[in-house]
Each structure stands twice: as C-alpha cells, then as structure tokens.
C-alpha cells in the first residue's frame, strides 16, 4: 500500500464515523410518513431533539442505534478511500456514501427515500465529477456516466411500473445518481451495481424477517441493498 494512502483511509474513516454519529437523530427527524413534516420533538416526551445521542429530556433512544450507524459510516468511508485513494474523484463518492448511510436507515425505518436527500446525494455525487472533468479540460468519462445514469434509472423505472414490485420512485431517482457515479468508473462497475443489490436483497430481507422488523406481507425497502451494492461495486472496480 502506498504510504500516502493510509492517512487518507484513516481520515475518511473518522469522517465516516462522524457521519454515522449524526445519522440516528437526523434519521429520526426524517423518518416520517409521506407528506408529514419532519419531526422536531421527541416522540416520548415532546422535548426538543439533540443533534446526536439520546433525548436529553427522557433519555429515549432516537432513531437507529449509533452502535450500528457509526461502524457502518466509518467502514463505508474507509472502503471507498482504500479503493479510490486520494483521487480528485474521492469527494463525489464520499458524498454519495454519506447521504447514502442516512438514506439506508430512513428507508429501513419508514420505506421512504426522501426527495431532498436523494437530491443532496445527486448534487454531492455529480458536481465534483463535473468539476474534475472541467479541470481536466476533457469530457472524460462524463458521457458514459450520463448514459449509465439513464440506463439504471430507466431499468428501475420499468421495474417500478410493474404492479406489486414493491419499488418506489425514490428507488428510481436514487438509482440515477448511483448509475452516474458507477458509469464514471466503467461499465463493469455499472453491471455490478445492477446485479449486486438483488443478491444482497435476499439476506437483508431475511434479517428483517428474523428480527421481527418485517412480516411476510410487509413491503421491504430496496434502498439499503441498492446502496450496499453500489458500495461493493465501487470498492471492487475502482
Ligand atoms: Zn424525550
């Protein structure tokens, strides 16, 4: 391993841990029914929400446990950093991963991928790559990235139109930015990004069923599998 790669991995792991630490309460605020405003108070004691940690009023755990979100954030960022190294593209992939951790836990909690967050992931994922291409003075892999975004979003749009597919428009929009960032890396990454979520979805569904989080007739979230498949595709092909 190159000597300058290790500090990058360590820095990114810390950054990912901070994102994971901020995830539970942010997910708690945003895990609401479609059309409802974000939560601004604790559901148990109606006290104001902290930035992170338990409710200061009643000590209730807010959102997913940080014992899970912190390692997930740190691991995701460290894996991306080890795959890409200190490349100019790195911020784009960390940006998608950062919002992705939050999106995955919100989708698990309430089967939603809120538009503002998918929009944030799109800006954080696409803007740095546009900047890299502009600084290089070439279109670079931009054309392939755009084509991959259309391809992935198109495939998921068709799947979303199948009755009973259990796939929402949030998944379609998210697959666009995932496709864009995978397309930048190459077609093998796009192919993995299309296949891996469906291999991962089975085990994720099994864990949800066994832990009593879902019944046999419950709709299952696809977001976590989409994002985990994206992460693996980036790590394997970057
Ligand atoms: Zn409370």
């Amino acid at each position: 391993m190159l000597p300058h790669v290790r500090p990058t991995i360590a820095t990114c792991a810390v950054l990912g841990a901070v994102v994971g630490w901020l995830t539970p309460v942010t997910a708690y605020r945003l895990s609401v029914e479609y059309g409802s405003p974000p939560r601004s108070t604790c559901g148990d004691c109606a006290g104001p929400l902290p930035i992170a940690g338990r409710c200061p009023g009643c000590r209730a755990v807010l959102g997913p446990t940080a014992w899970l979100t912190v390692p997930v954030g740190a691991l995701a960022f460290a894996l991306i950093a080890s795959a890409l190294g200190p490349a100019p593209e790195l911020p784009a992939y960390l940006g998608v991963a950062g919002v992705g951790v939050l999106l995955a836990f919100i989708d698990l909690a309430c089967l939603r991928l809120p538009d503002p967050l998918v929009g944030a992931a799109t800006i954080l994922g696409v803007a740095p790559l546009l900047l890299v291409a502009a600084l290089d003075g070439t279109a670079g892999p931009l054309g392939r990235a755009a084509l991959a975004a259309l391809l992935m979003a198109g495939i998921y749009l068709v799947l979303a139109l199948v009755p009973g597919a259990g796939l929402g428009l949030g998944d379609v929009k998210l697959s666009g930015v995932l496709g864009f960032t995978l397309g930048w890396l190459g077609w093998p990454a796009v192919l993995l990004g299309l296949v891996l979520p469906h291999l991962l979805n089975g085990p994720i569904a099994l864990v949800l069923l066994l832990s009593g989080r879902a019944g046999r007739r419950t709709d299952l979230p696809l977001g976590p599998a989409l994002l985990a498949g994206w992460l693996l595709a980036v790590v394997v092909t970057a």
Side-chain angles (χ1 to χ4, degrees), residues 42 44-45 55 58 60:
C42 170
D44 287 354
C45 72
C55 171
C58 69

Side-chain angles (χ1 to χ4, degrees), residues 10-232:
T11 309
C12 289
V14 171
L15 203 61
V18 172
V19 168
W21 178 69
L22 292 170
T23 291
V25 178
T26 313
Y28 183 78
R29 286 176 188 275
L30 299 173
S31 297
V32 291
E33 294 288 311
Y34 187 77
S36 305
R39 287 195 185 105
S40 56
T41 54
C42 170
D44 287 354
C45 72
L49 293 175
I51 293 174
R54 287 168 177 254
C55 171
C58 69
R59 309 299 300 155
V61 175
L62 304 165
T65 169
W67 293 106
L68 193 58
T69 59
V70 170
V72 165
L75 183 67
F77 275 47
L79 283 173
I80 290 173
S82 69
L84 290 167
E89 288 93 345
L90 184 59
Y93 293 85
L94 295 181
V96 173
V99 183
V101 170
L102 186 55
L103 277 170
F105 282 102
I106 292 174
D107 203 14
L108 283 171
C110 68
L111 284 174
R112 283 193 59 210
L113 297 168
D115 277 342
L117 286 180
V118 176
T122 306
I123 292 166
L124 290 172
V126 174
L129 296 181
L130 291 177
L131 190 66
V132 169
L135 292 176
D136 279 356
T138 66
L142 271 186
R144 188 176 60 217
L147 204 61
L150 287 174
L151 178 76
M152 259 180 88
I155 289 173
Y156 280 102
L157 180 62
V158 170
L159 289 177
L161 294 175
V162 176
L167 203 129
L169 283 180
D171 299 309
V172 177
K173 294 171 200 165
L174 179 63
S175 70
V177 60
L178 300 184
F180 190 91
T181 45
L182 292 175
W184 179 279
L185 296 175
W187 289 114
V190 178
L191 186 66
L192 279 177
L194 280 168
V195 173
L196 286 175
H198 303 285
L199 299 180
L200 294 167
N201 211 22
I204 289 176
L206 194 65
V207 169
L208 288 175
L209 286 170
L210 292 178
S211 63
R213 296 277 302 276
R216 279 170 59 195
R217 286 162 181 271
T218 319
D219 278 341
L220 294 166
L222 184 64
L226 273 179
L227 288 157
W230 172 85
L231 177 66
L232 280 179

